[in-house]
Amino acid sequence: SQELEQSPQSLIVQEGKNLTINCTSSKTLYGLYWYKQKYGEGLIFLMMLQKGGEEKSHEKITAKLDEKKQQSSLHITASQPSHAGIYLCGADLTNQAGTALIFGKGTTLSVSS
Amino acid sequence: GAVVSQHPSRVICKSGTSVKIECRSLDFQATTMFWYRQFPKQSLMLMATSNEGSKATYEQGVEKDKFLINHASLTLSTLTVTSAHPEDSSFYICSARARPGSYNEQFFGPGTRLTVL
């Protein structure tokens, strides 16, 4: 089974609308990373969350890690066409140094103008 | 943030040939590098963990004799796809973590698109 579940799998929103993407883990999250990717290209780092209850913002994107550290949400305010792409959450599922991030299946976002 | 490069960015090869992909950390030393594979419209799947100076650790289902990994220095890991077949066509991405004690973010390369004819 998938250790990290992302929802929704895909999303189409009208320009200017808000949206939320969720990432839920079956295990404790020791670090949660959000990335954006355009198909066939590398990952663009957005934010990293480590502490329960932590919230970070960058421009119109806000990410939160819930208190129990098993779920994170990414919220985009007033979406723009430039926000379109694939959003991936990656997680440290152990607190051991040197382990790889495990990724969710991604959320494909389309923004219509 | 730190920079990780990959070379080549795209490669097309004939079935049965071997292809080498390089992953370099440009401004930091990486004791650990990771290789992921991404099929179209799917997420990144971890293939193996590459440790400098020791053998790589492969994920279940990944053939170590087919995907040879060498991490000869603190800034370079290579993935060689041996006797490539069309089903090996994919997007390969490497990433690196800095030395223990420094910022633990995982930095990703830009990826290599492999097409096997």
Side-chain angles (χ1 to χ4, degrees), chain A residues 22-58:
Chain A
N22 293 302
C23 179
T24 303
S25 173
S26 58
K27 299 178 180 179
T28 298
L29 296 167
Y30 291 94
L32 190 288
Y33 302 73
W34 283 101
Y35 294 89
K36 181 185 174 185
Q37 184 187 32
K38 293 214 180 270
Y39 178 66
E41 299 181 11
L43 277 64
I44 300 169
F45 172 75
L46 297 176
M47 273 170 276
M48 180 183 77
L49 305 164
Q50 287 185 306
K51 299 176 183 177
E54 187 174 10
E55 179 176 325
K56 289 187 177 179
S57 294
H58 177 67

Side-chain angles (χ1 to χ4, degrees), chain A residues 33 35 37 39-43 45 48 88 92 97-106, chain B residues 32 34 36 38 40-44 46 49 91 93 97 103-106 108-110 113:
Chain A
Y33 302 73
Y35 294 89
Q37 184 187 32
Y39 178 66
E41 299 181 11
L43 277 64
F45 172 75
M48 180 183 77
L88 292 161
D92 283 318
T99 56
L101 293 182
I102 302 300
F103 284 87
K105 289 187 176 182
Chain B
T32 306
F34 307 99
Y36 292 84
Q38 186 180 34
K41 299 193 177 182
Q42 294 190 25
S43 188
L44 276 70
L46 179 66
T49 299
F91 191 57
I93 301 180
R97 291 227 197 226
Y103 191 50
N104 204 31
E105 182 182 338
Q106 192 167 329
F108 286 84
R113 168 74 55 197

Side-chain angles (χ1 to χ4, degrees), chain B:
Chain B
V3 178
V4 175
S5 71
Q6 274 184 250
H7 178 79
S9 58
R10 287 177 179 270
V11 57
I12 301 172
C13 68
K14 293 182 179 180
S15 185
T17 60
S18 295
V19 174
K20 181 186 284 188
I21 303 170
E22 292 186 348
C23 177
R24 293 181 184 272
S25 57
L26 298 184
D27 51 1
F28 68 102
Q29 293 181 321
T31 52
T32 306
M33 290 184 171
F34 307 99
W35 288 95
Y36 292 84
R37 180 169 53 186
Q38 186 180 34
F39 290 110
K41 299 193 177 182
Q42 294 190 25
S43 188
L44 276 70
M45 297 301 296
L46 179 66
M47 298 175 65
T49 299
S50 171
N51 297 297
E52 186 266 336
S54 63
K55 291 183 178 180
T57 304
Y58 290 82
E59 296 299 300
Q60 192 173 12
V62 178
E63 299 175 59
K64 63 180 181 180
D65 294 331
K66 181 168 184 63
F67 298 99
L68 300 178
I69 291 173
N70 184 277
H71 193 154
S73 76
L74 286 170
T75 59
L76 174 64
S77 175
T78 60
L79 169 69
T80 300
V81 183
T82 62
S83 187
H85 291 285
E87 58 266 29
D88 298 323
S89 299
S90 188
F91 191 57
Y92 293 86
I93 301 180
C94 72
S95 67
R97 291 227 197 226
R99 292 172 70 90
S102 46
Y103 191 50
N104 204 31
E105 182 182 338
Q106 192 167 329
F107 302 99
F108 286 84
T112 296
R113 168 74 55 197
L114 170 62
T115 303
V116 185
L117 303 176

